[in-house]
Amino acid sequence: QVQMVESGGGSVQVGGSLRLSCAASRDTAARYLMAWFRQPPGKQREGVAVIDRRGTKTLYRDSVLGRFTISKDNEKDTLYLEMNSLTPRDTAMYYCARARETFYELSLLPHDFTDWGQGTMVTVSS
């Protein structure tokens, strides 16, 4: 079974930055569509950013466009999320996820992803 382990979360002040990492196993990064999701306290999980298998195409939710950057290193099987200009609305548990191997469409819908990490918490305070 695939393992995906997120790291890099923490507490920052408004305007700060964090870089999340997701270490995956078994050639995950090169073979699968991968994404970051988040779940704010008391709210539903929402898609943040997705990247294709080659790492050349990305899609972001509007509220993070221009502030967050998704990337990956296929050789290291690691997914990243660079987050800048953080605001309290970015406070959430952040999860990495992968779609099934035959799914190629850029999507930010949770039901399109089959495997999930345990999450890493990001807290932004004013």
Short mmCIF file of all heavy atoms in Angstrom, two decimals, residues 48-100:
data_model
loop_
_atom_site.label_atom_id
_atom_site.label_comp_id
_atom_site.label_asym_id
_atom_site.label_seq_id
_atom_site.Cartn_x
_atom_site.Cartn_y
_atom_site.Cartn_z
N VAL A 48 -6.62 22.47 -3.09
CA VAL A 48 -5.75 23.64 -3.08
C VAL A 48 -4.98 23.76 -4.39
O VAL A 48 -4.98 24.80 -5.03
CB VAL A 48 -4.76 23.58 -1.91
CG1 VAL A 48 -3.77 24.74 -1.96
CG2 VAL A 48 -5.51 23.56 -0.58
N ALA A 49 -4.30 22.69 -4.78
CA ALA A 49 -3.50 22.71 -5.99
C ALA A 49 -3.27 21.28 -6.46
O ALA A 49 -3.19 20.36 -5.66
CB ALA A 49 -2.16 23.40 -5.75
N VAL A 50 -3.16 21.12 -7.76
CA VAL A 50 -2.93 19.81 -8.35
C VAL A 50 -1.85 19.93 -9.42
O VAL A 50 -1.70 20.98 -10.05
CB VAL A 50 -4.24 19.24 -8.94
CG1 VAL A 50 -4.82 20.16 -10.00
CG2 VAL A 50 -4.06 17.83 -9.47
N ILE A 51 -1.10 18.85 -9.60
CA ILE A 51 -0.02 18.85 -10.60
C ILE A 51 -0.06 17.54 -11.36
O ILE A 51 -0.36 16.47 -10.78
CB ILE A 51 1.34 19.07 -9.89
CG1 ILE A 51 2.46 19.30 -10.91
CG2 ILE A 51 1.69 17.93 -8.94
CD1 ILE A 51 3.75 19.85 -10.29
N ASP A 52 0.23 17.61 -12.66
CA ASP A 52 0.16 16.40 -13.47
C ASP A 52 1.39 15.53 -13.25
O ASP A 52 2.30 15.88 -12.51
CB ASP A 52 -0.04 16.75 -14.94
CG ASP A 52 1.21 17.36 -15.58
OD1 ASP A 52 2.12 17.79 -14.83
OD2 ASP A 52 1.26 17.43 -16.82
N ARG A 53 1.39 14.38 -13.91
CA ARG A 53 2.46 13.40 -13.69
C ARG A 53 3.83 13.94 -14.06
O ARG A 53 4.81 13.70 -13.36
CB ARG A 53 2.18 12.13 -14.48
CG ARG A 53 0.97 11.35 -14.02
CD ARG A 53 0.77 10.13 -14.90
NE ARG A 53 0.56 10.52 -16.29
CZ ARG A 53 0.74 9.71 -17.32
NH1 ARG A 53 1.16 8.47 -17.12
NH2 ARG A 53 0.51 10.12 -18.54
N ARG A 54 3.89 14.70 -15.13
CA ARG A 54 5.19 15.21 -15.58
C ARG A 54 5.62 16.43 -14.78
O ARG A 54 6.77 16.84 -14.86
CB ARG A 54 5.13 15.55 -17.07
CG ARG A 54 4.94 14.34 -17.95
CD ARG A 54 4.96 14.74 -19.42
NE ARG A 54 4.80 13.59 -20.31
CZ ARG A 54 4.79 13.68 -21.63
NH1 ARG A 54 4.94 14.85 -22.21
NH2 ARG A 54 4.63 12.59 -22.36
N GLY A 55 4.69 17.05 -14.08
CA GLY A 55 5.02 18.25 -13.34
C GLY A 55 4.99 19.50 -14.18
O GLY A 55 5.56 20.53 -13.79
N THR A 56 4.33 19.45 -15.34
CA THR A 56 4.32 20.60 -16.24
C THR A 56 3.00 21.36 -16.22
O THR A 56 2.94 22.50 -16.67
CB THR A 56 4.59 20.13 -17.68
OG1 THR A 56 3.62 19.15 -18.05
CG2 THR A 56 5.98 19.52 -17.78
N LYS A 57 1.94 20.74 -15.72
CA LYS A 57 0.64 21.40 -15.68
C LYS A 57 0.13 21.45 -14.24
O LYS A 57 0.24 20.47 -13.51
CB LYS A 57 -0.36 20.65 -16.56
CG LYS A 57 -0.01 20.66 -18.03
CD LYS A 57 -1.04 19.90 -18.84
CE LYS A 57 -0.68 19.89 -20.32
NZ LYS A 57 -1.67 19.14 -21.12
N THR A 58 -0.42 22.61 -13.89
CA THR A 58 -0.93 22.79 -12.54
C THR A 58 -2.28 23.50 -12.56
O THR A 58 -2.64 24.15 -13.55
CB THR A 58 0.04 23.62 -11.68
OG1 THR A 58 0.25 24.90 -12.32
CG2 THR A 58 1.39 22.92 -11.51
N LEU A 59 -2.98 23.37 -11.46
CA LEU A 59 -4.25 24.05 -11.30
C LEU A 59 -4.37 24.44 -9.83
O LEU A 59 -4.03 23.63 -8.96
CB LEU A 59 -5.41 23.14 -11.69
CG LEU A 59 -6.84 23.69 -11.51
CD1 LEU A 59 -7.07 24.83 -12.50
CD2 LEU A 59 -7.88 22.60 -11.72
N TYR A 60 -4.86 25.66 -9.57
CA TYR A 60 -4.96 26.16 -8.20
C TYR A 60 -6.38 26.64 -7.92
O TYR A 60 -7.08 27.12 -8.80
CB TYR A 60 -4.00 27.34 -7.98
CG TYR A 60 -2.55 27.00 -8.12
CD1 TYR A 60 -1.91 27.08 -9.35
CD2 TYR A 60 -1.79 26.62 -7.01
CE1 TYR A 60 -0.55 26.77 -9.49
CE2 TYR A 60 -0.44 26.32 -7.13
CZ TYR A 60 0.17 26.40 -8.36
OH TYR A 60 1.50 26.10 -8.48
N ARG A 61 -6.76 26.55 -6.66
CA ARG A 61 -8.00 27.21 -6.29
C ARG A 61 -7.75 28.70 -6.32
O ARG A 61 -6.62 29.18 -6.07
CB ARG A 61 -8.50 26.75 -4.92
CG ARG A 61 -7.75 27.21 -3.72
CD ARG A 61 -8.36 26.68 -2.43
NE ARG A 61 -9.70 27.18 -2.20
CZ ARG A 61 -10.82 26.44 -2.31
NH1 ARG A 61 -10.73 25.17 -2.66
NH2 ARG A 61 -11.99 26.95 -2.08
N ASP A 62 -8.79 29.48 -6.61
CA ASP A 62 -8.63 30.92 -6.83
C ASP A 62 -7.99 31.62 -5.64
O ASP A 62 -7.17 32.52 -5.80
CB ASP A 62 -9.98 31.55 -7.13
CG ASP A 62 -10.49 31.17 -8.51
OD1 ASP A 62 -9.70 30.64 -9.32
OD2 ASP A 62 -11.68 31.40 -8.79
N SER A 63 -8.35 31.23 -4.44
CA SER A 63 -7.90 31.98 -3.26
C SER A 63 -6.41 31.84 -2.97
O SER A 63 -5.85 32.60 -2.18
CB SER A 63 -8.71 31.55 -2.04
OG SER A 63 -8.48 30.18 -1.75
N VAL A 64 -5.75 30.87 -3.59
CA VAL A 64 -4.31 30.70 -3.35
C VAL A 64 -3.47 31.06 -4.57
O VAL A 64 -2.24 31.07 -4.50
CB VAL A 64 -3.98 29.26 -2.90
CG1 VAL A 64 -4.83 28.87 -1.71
CG2 VAL A 64 -4.10 28.27 -4.04
N LEU A 65 -4.14 31.36 -5.68
CA LEU A 65 -3.43 31.67 -6.92
C LEU A 65 -2.51 32.86 -6.70
O LEU A 65 -2.91 33.89 -6.18
CB LEU A 65 -4.45 31.96 -8.01
CG LEU A 65 -3.96 31.92 -9.46
CD1 LEU A 65 -3.41 30.55 -9.81
CD2 LEU A 65 -5.07 32.31 -10.40
N GLY A 66 -1.25 32.68 -7.10
CA GLY A 66 -0.26 33.74 -6.95
C GLY A 66 0.45 33.72 -5.60
O GLY A 66 1.47 34.41 -5.44
N ARG A 67 -0.06 32.95 -4.67
CA ARG A 67 0.58 32.85 -3.35
C ARG A 67 1.18 31.47 -3.10
O ARG A 67 2.20 31.35 -2.43
CB ARG A 67 -0.44 33.16 -2.24
CG ARG A 67 -1.07 34.52 -2.30
CD ARG A 67 -1.92 34.79 -1.07
NE ARG A 67 -3.02 33.85 -0.93
CZ ARG A 67 -3.20 33.07 0.14
NH1 ARG A 67 -2.36 33.11 1.15
NH2 ARG A 67 -4.25 32.23 0.19
N PHE A 68 0.55 30.45 -3.62
CA PHE A 68 1.00 29.07 -3.42
C PHE A 68 1.58 28.52 -4.72
O PHE A 68 1.11 28.86 -5.81
CB PHE A 68 -0.16 28.17 -2.99
CG PHE A 68 -0.70 28.42 -1.61
CD1 PHE A 68 -0.33 29.52 -0.86
CD2 PHE A 68 -1.58 27.51 -1.05
CE1 PHE A 68 -0.84 29.74 0.41
CE2 PHE A 68 -2.11 27.70 0.21
CZ PHE A 68 -1.73 28.82 0.95
N THR A 69 2.56 27.66 -4.57
CA THR A 69 3.14 26.98 -5.73
C THR A 69 3.29 25.50 -5.43
O THR A 69 3.93 25.13 -4.44
CB THR A 69 4.52 27.56 -6.07
OG1 THR A 69 4.39 28.96 -6.32
CG2 THR A 69 5.09 26.88 -7.31
N ILE A 70 2.71 24.68 -6.29
CA ILE A 70 2.85 23.24 -6.17
C ILE A 70 3.96 22.78 -7.10
O ILE A 70 4.10 23.27 -8.22
CB ILE A 70 1.52 22.52 -6.48
CG1 ILE A 70 1.63 21.03 -6.17
CG2 ILE A 70 1.09 22.75 -7.93
CD1 ILE A 70 0.29 20.28 -6.26
N SER A 71 4.75 21.83 -6.63
CA SER A 71 5.82 21.28 -7.46
C SER A 71 6.12 19.88 -6.96
O SER A 71 5.61 19.46 -5.91
CB SER A 71 7.07 22.15 -7.39
OG SER A 71 7.58 22.19 -6.06
N LYS A 72 6.93 19.18 -7.71
CA LYS A 72 7.32 17.85 -7.25
C LYS A 72 8.66 17.45 -7.82
O LYS A 72 9.10 17.99 -8.83
CB LYS A 72 6.25 16.82 -7.60
CG LYS A 72 6.02 16.62 -9.09
CD LYS A 72 4.99 15.52 -9.30
CE LYS A 72 4.76 15.25 -10.77
NZ LYS A 72 3.90 14.07 -10.98
N ASP A 73 9.27 16.52 -7.15
CA ASP A 73 10.54 15.94 -7.59
C ASP A 73 10.27 14.45 -7.81
O ASP A 73 10.14 13.69 -6.84
CB ASP A 73 11.61 16.16 -6.51
CG ASP A 73 12.98 15.69 -6.96
OD1 ASP A 73 13.07 14.72 -7.75
OD2 ASP A 73 13.96 16.27 -6.52
N ASN A 74 10.16 14.07 -9.07
CA ASN A 74 9.81 12.68 -9.37
C ASN A 74 10.88 11.70 -8.91
O ASN A 74 10.58 10.57 -8.52
CB ASN A 74 9.52 12.51 -10.85
CG ASN A 74 8.18 13.08 -11.25
OD1 ASN A 74 7.35 13.40 -10.39
ND2 ASN A 74 7.96 13.22 -12.55
N GLU A 75 12.13 12.12 -8.98
CA GLU A 75 13.20 11.22 -8.56
C GLU A 75 13.17 10.97 -7.06
O GLU A 75 13.51 9.88 -6.59
CB GLU A 75 14.55 11.78 -8.97
CG GLU A 75 14.78 11.77 -10.48
CD GLU A 75 16.20 12.15 -10.86
OE1 GLU A 75 17.00 12.40 -9.94
OE2 GLU A 75 16.50 12.18 -12.06
N LYS A 76 12.75 11.97 -6.31
CA LYS A 76 12.67 11.82 -4.87
C LYS A 76 11.27 11.39 -4.41
O LYS A 76 11.06 11.20 -3.22
CB LYS A 76 13.03 13.14 -4.18
CG LYS A 76 14.48 13.56 -4.38
CD LYS A 76 14.78 14.85 -3.62
CE LYS A 76 16.23 15.26 -3.79
NZ LYS A 76 16.54 16.53 -3.07
N ASP A 77 10.34 11.28 -5.37
CA ASP A 77 8.97 10.93 -5.02
C ASP A 77 8.41 11.85 -3.94
O ASP A 77 7.81 11.41 -2.96
CB ASP A 77 8.88 9.47 -4.54
CG ASP A 77 8.66 8.51 -5.69
OD1 ASP A 77 7.79 8.79 -6.53
OD2 ASP A 77 9.37 7.49 -5.75
N THR A 78 8.63 13.13 -4.13
CA THR A 78 8.21 14.12 -3.15
C THR A 78 7.41 15.22 -3.80
O THR A 78 7.80 15.75 -4.84
CB THR A 78 9.40 14.70 -2.41
OG1 THR A 78 10.14 13.64 -1.78
CG2 THR A 78 8.95 15.67 -1.33
N LEU A 79 6.30 15.55 -3.19
CA LEU A 79 5.43 16.64 -3.61
C LEU A 79 5.63 17.82 -2.67
O LEU A 79 5.82 17.61 -1.46
CB LEU A 79 3.98 16.17 -3.57
CG LEU A 79 2.89 17.15 -3.97
CD1 LEU A 79 2.94 17.40 -5.49
CD2 LEU A 79 1.53 16.63 -3.56
N TYR A 80 5.59 19.03 -3.20
CA TYR A 80 5.81 20.22 -2.38
C TYR A 80 4.66 21.21 -2.55
O TYR A 80 3.97 21.23 -3.57
CB TYR A 80 7.11 20.91 -2.78
CG TYR A 80 8.33 20.05 -2.69
CD1 TYR A 80 8.89 19.46 -3.82
CD2 TYR A 80 8.96 19.83 -1.46
CE1 TYR A 80 10.02 18.67 -3.74
CE2 TYR A 80 10.09 19.04 -1.36
CZ TYR A 80 10.62 18.47 -2.50
OH TYR A 80 11.74 17.68 -2.41
N LEU A 81 4.51 22.04 -1.53
CA LEU A 81 3.60 23.17 -1.63
C LEU A 81 4.27 24.36 -0.94
O LEU A 81 4.42 24.36 0.29
CB LEU A 81 2.25 22.88 -0.98
CG LEU A 81 1.22 23.99 -1.15
CD1 LEU A 81 0.80 24.11 -2.63
CD2 LEU A 81 -0.02 23.74 -0.28
N GLU A 82 4.68 25.31 -1.74
CA GLU A 82 5.28 26.53 -1.22
C GLU A 82 4.14 27.50 -0.97
O GLU A 82 3.36 27.81 -1.88
CB GLU A 82 6.27 27.10 -2.23
CG GLU A 82 7.03 28.31 -1.75
CD GLU A 82 8.16 27.94 -0.78
OE1 GLU A 82 8.75 26.86 -0.95
OE2 GLU A 82 8.41 28.73 0.13
N MET A 83 4.04 28.00 0.25
CA MET A 83 2.94 28.89 0.62
C MET A 83 3.50 30.21 1.12
O MET A 83 4.27 30.23 2.09
CB MET A 83 2.08 28.24 1.71
CG MET A 83 1.55 26.86 1.35
SD MET A 83 0.41 26.19 2.56
CE MET A 83 1.48 26.07 4.00
N ASN A 84 3.10 31.28 0.46
CA ASN A 84 3.55 32.62 0.83
C ASN A 84 2.36 33.51 1.15
O ASN A 84 1.22 33.19 0.80
CB ASN A 84 4.36 33.22 -0.32
CG ASN A 84 5.61 32.42 -0.63
OD1 ASN A 84 6.39 32.09 0.26
ND2 ASN A 84 5.79 32.09 -1.90
N SER A 85 2.64 34.62 1.78
CA SER A 85 1.61 35.61 2.12
C SER A 85 0.42 34.94 2.81
O SER A 85 -0.74 35.17 2.44
CB SER A 85 1.15 36.33 0.85
OG SER A 85 2.23 36.97 0.23
N LEU A 86 0.71 34.14 3.78
CA LEU A 86 -0.34 33.37 4.46
C LEU A 86 -1.27 34.29 5.25
O LEU A 86 -0.85 35.30 5.81
CB LEU A 86 0.29 32.33 5.37
CG LEU A 86 0.91 31.14 4.64
CD1 LEU A 86 1.87 30.38 5.54
CD2 LEU A 86 -0.18 30.21 4.12
N THR A 87 -2.52 33.89 5.28
CA THR A 87 -3.54 34.61 6.03
C THR A 87 -4.25 33.63 6.97
O THR A 87 -4.15 32.41 6.78
CB THR A 87 -4.58 35.24 5.09
OG1 THR A 87 -5.45 34.22 4.60
CG2 THR A 87 -3.93 35.95 3.90
N PRO A 88 -5.00 34.13 7.95
CA PRO A 88 -5.72 33.20 8.85
C PRO A 88 -6.66 32.26 8.10
O PRO A 88 -6.94 31.15 8.58
CB PRO A 88 -6.49 34.16 9.76
CG PRO A 88 -5.61 35.38 9.84
CD PRO A 88 -5.05 35.52 8.44
N ARG A 89 -7.15 32.65 6.93
CA ARG A 89 -8.04 31.78 6.17
C ARG A 89 -7.31 30.56 5.61
O ARG A 89 -7.96 29.62 5.13
CB ARG A 89 -8.70 32.56 5.03
CG ARG A 89 -9.71 33.58 5.51
CD ARG A 89 -10.47 34.19 4.35
NE ARG A 89 -11.50 35.14 4.79
CZ ARG A 89 -12.36 35.74 4.00
NH1 ARG A 89 -12.33 35.51 2.70
NH2 ARG A 89 -13.26 36.57 4.49
N ASP A 90 -6.00 30.58 5.64
CA ASP A 90 -5.23 29.42 5.19
C ASP A 90 -5.06 28.39 6.30
O ASP A 90 -4.50 27.31 6.06
CB ASP A 90 -3.86 29.85 4.68
CG ASP A 90 -3.95 30.76 3.46
OD1 ASP A 90 -4.74 30.43 2.55
OD2 ASP A 90 -3.24 31.78 3.43
N THR A 91 -5.50 28.73 7.50
CA THR A 91 -5.40 27.79 8.61
C THR A 91 -6.22 26.54 8.32
O THR A 91 -7.42 26.62 8.04
CB THR A 91 -5.90 28.45 9.92
OG1 THR A 91 -5.01 29.50 10.27
CG2 THR A 91 -5.96 27.42 11.04
N ALA A 92 -5.56 25.40 8.36
CA ALA A 92 -6.22 24.14 8.01
C ALA A 92 -5.26 22.98 8.20
O ALA A 92 -4.05 23.17 8.35
CB ALA A 92 -6.69 24.16 6.55
N MET A 93 -5.83 21.78 8.17
CA MET A 93 -5.01 20.59 8.04
C MET A 93 -4.78 20.38 6.55
O MET A 93 -5.75 20.38 5.78
CB MET A 93 -5.72 19.38 8.64
CG MET A 93 -4.89 18.11 8.62
SD MET A 93 -3.55 18.15 9.81
CE MET A 93 -4.45 17.77 11.32
N TYR A 94 -3.55 20.23 6.15
CA TYR A 94 -3.20 20.06 4.75
C TYR A 94 -2.85 18.61 4.46
O TYR A 94 -2.06 18.00 5.21
CB TYR A 94 -2.04 20.98 4.37
CG TYR A 94 -2.45 22.42 4.20
CD1 TYR A 94 -2.79 23.20 5.31
CD2 TYR A 94 -2.53 23.00 2.93
CE1 TYR A 94 -3.19 24.52 5.16
CE2 TYR A 94 -2.93 24.32 2.78
CZ TYR A 94 -3.26 25.07 3.88
OH TYR A 94 -3.66 26.38 3.72
N TYR A 95 -3.42 18.09 3.37
CA TYR A 95 -3.22 16.70 2.99
C TYR A 95 -2.67 16.62 1.57
O TYR A 95 -3.10 17.36 0.70
CB TYR A 95 -4.55 15.94 3.01
CG TYR A 95 -5.26 15.92 4.34
CD1 TYR A 95 -6.15 16.91 4.69
CD2 TYR A 95 -5.05 14.86 5.23
CE1 TYR A 95 -6.82 16.88 5.90
CE2 TYR A 95 -5.72 14.82 6.44
CZ TYR A 95 -6.60 15.83 6.77
OH TYR A 95 -7.26 15.78 7.97
N CYS A 96 -1.78 15.69 1.35
CA CYS A 96 -1.43 15.36 -0.03
C CYS A 96 -2.25 14.15 -0.45
O CYS A 96 -2.67 13.34 0.39
CB CYS A 96 0.06 15.10 -0.19
SG CYS A 96 0.72 13.67 0.68
N ALA A 97 -2.48 14.05 -1.74
CA ALA A 97 -3.31 12.97 -2.26
C ALA A 97 -2.87 12.60 -3.66
O ALA A 97 -2.28 13.41 -4.37
CB ALA A 97 -4.77 13.42 -2.27
N ARG A 98 -3.18 11.37 -4.04
CA ARG A 98 -2.90 10.95 -5.40
C ARG A 98 -4.17 10.35 -5.99
O ARG A 98 -4.98 9.73 -5.31
CB ARG A 98 -1.75 9.96 -5.44
CG ARG A 98 -2.10 8.56 -4.99
CD ARG A 98 -0.98 7.59 -5.30
NE ARG A 98 -1.44 6.22 -5.15
CZ ARG A 98 -0.67 5.15 -5.33
NH1 ARG A 98 0.60 5.30 -5.69
NH2 ARG A 98 -1.16 3.94 -5.17
N ALA A 99 -4.29 10.55 -7.31
CA ALA A 99 -5.43 9.98 -8.02
C ALA A 99 -5.10 8.55 -8.44
O ALA A 99 -3.97 8.09 -8.28
CB ALA A 99 -5.74 10.83 -9.24
N ARG A 100 -6.06 7.83 -8.97
CA ARG A 100 -5.76 6.49 -9.49
C ARG A 100 -4.88 6.65 -10.73
O ARG A 100 -4.88 7.69 -11.38
CB ARG A 100 -7.05 5.74 -9.83
CG ARG A 100 -7.89 6.35 -10.91
CD ARG A 100 -9.17 5.57 -11.13
NE ARG A 100 -9.96 6.10 -12.24
CZ ARG A 100 -10.82 7.09 -12.14
NH1 ARG A 100 -11.00 7.68 -10.96
NH2 ARG A 100 -11.48 7.50 -13.18
#
